[in-house]
Amino acid sequence: MKPYSESCEQNQEPILNVLVGVLADRKRVLEIGSGTGQHAVYMASHLPHLTWQTSDLAHNHAGILAWLDEAKLPNLLPPLLIDAGNPNWPLEKVDAVFSANAVHIMSWEEVTGMFEGIGRVLTDDGVLCLYGPFNFKGKFTSESNARFDQWLKSNNPESGVRDFEALDKLAEREGLRLEKDIAMPANNRSLVWRRKKT
Ligand SMILES: C[S@@+](CC[C@H](N)C(=O)[O-])C[C@H]1O[C@@H](n2cnc3c(N)ncnc32)[C@H](O)[C@@H]1O
């Protein structure tokens, strides 16, 4: 049976509205932590000019494949095994990376590995878009995000809502500059970085 996420259903349209602009001239997008596969199907069906490469830890692959098999989209690729904490990423260059709601699940070590991996696979003019809740200057942007952080940590002490400034430092190391910080529904943000050719 296909896995289903209600939050994906709710946030997919607002995210697409951001990605339509951000990915307008992109050809190949890597999604990290595809989860159920719902975002992949929705985005790939609305952005037919690009190839959408799904990825996740192995335990999510069957669910992602169930969504892909049903959608039968020519621009949607089966999941790669990409564990952010493991440096072996089995893919060629991509000109964009997208990841929703994954960095607050990963440990900080995995988040660091994810940015290093992105640095390796992204082209010189590549774009990175992260969607989710983020803290700014060490502060939660809402009570609900503070409660969410507590809930995450009660499941796994290594998880937690990430500081924008700490992520931006990791991005900077990979030659990425913040281009957009877009407010999204339910106290989420879309952060967009772009790599500039030097
Ligand atoms: C909260 S879910 C979000 C899924 C989907 N992107 C969404 O927005 O619904 C977090 C995702 O991150 C993935 N994840 C957790 N740790 C990871 C890691 N070390 N490397 C890659 N993905 C990871 C999980 O398997 C899961 O699919």
Side-chain angles (χ1 to χ4, degrees):
M1 209 174 73
K2 286 187 317 178
Y4 176 78
S5 155
E6 180 60 37
S7 67
C8 275
E9 189 66 30
Q10 285 167 8
N11 62 30
Q12 61 189 11
E13 192 182 340
I15 294 175
L16 176 68
N17 291 339
V18 170
L19 294 186
V20 160
V22 171
L23 303 180
D25 64 346
R26 303 289 100 181
K27 292 187 172 60
R28 189 155 185 248
V29 182
L30 167 67
E31 181 184 20
I32 299 174
S34 295
T36 60
Q38 277 165 269
H39 279 154
V41 168
Y42 187 79
M43 303 308 160
S45 68
H46 286 84
L47 301 168
H49 68 281
L50 53 78
T51 300
W52 190 278
Q53 174 65 66
T54 57
S55 80
D56 209 315
L57 304 179
H59 69 268
N60 278 333
H61 286 201
I64 296 168
L65 283 169
W67 278 85
L68 268 57
D69 286 349
E70 186 186 81
K72 293 187 177 39
L73 293 170
N75 61 330
L76 186 50
L77 300 179
L80 296 174
L81 177 56
I82 291 186
D83 176 346
N86 180 330
N88 299 317
W89 290 24
L91 88 163
E92 301 292 314
K93 293 272 179 193
V94 291
D95 57 4
V97 173
F98 168 74
S99 186
N101 290 319
V103 294
H104 59 249
I105 300 292
M106 295 174 191
S107 67
W108 185 249
E109 202 182 338
E110 288 167 339
V111 175
T112 303
M114 175 173 135
F115 273 84
E116 288 168 0
I118 290 168
R120 286 191 300 274
V121 300
L122 210 51
T123 54
D124 287 347
D125 63 347
V127 166
L128 165 64
C129 179
L130 296 187
Y131 166 88
F134 301 99
N135 289 343
F136 290 82
K137 297 187 176 157
K139 292 201 166 65
F140 294 105
T141 61
S142 67
E143 265 305 306
S144 62
N145 280 0
R147 282 197 300 275
F148 182 54
D149 181 69
Q150 278 182 355
W151 179 81
L152 286 168
K153 290 189 164 95
S154 70
N155 284 336
N156 179 354
E158 296 211 53
S159 296
V161 174
R162 302 300 172 195
D163 283 330
F164 158 73
E165 290 79 7
L167 296 173
D168 194 40
K169 251 189 209 145
L170 296 180
E172 212 175 295
R173 279 194 215 158
E174 307 305 332
L176 292 158
R177 300 265 162 76
L178 187 78
E179 190 172 78
K180 288 186 177 123
D181 167 16
I182 302 164
M184 304 293 286
N187 305 303
N188 289 300
R189 321 285 301 181
S190 286
L191 302 174
V192 181
W193 288 268
R194 187 178 294 269
R195 197 175 234 177
K196 298 266 188 268
K197 278 184 190 155
T198 47

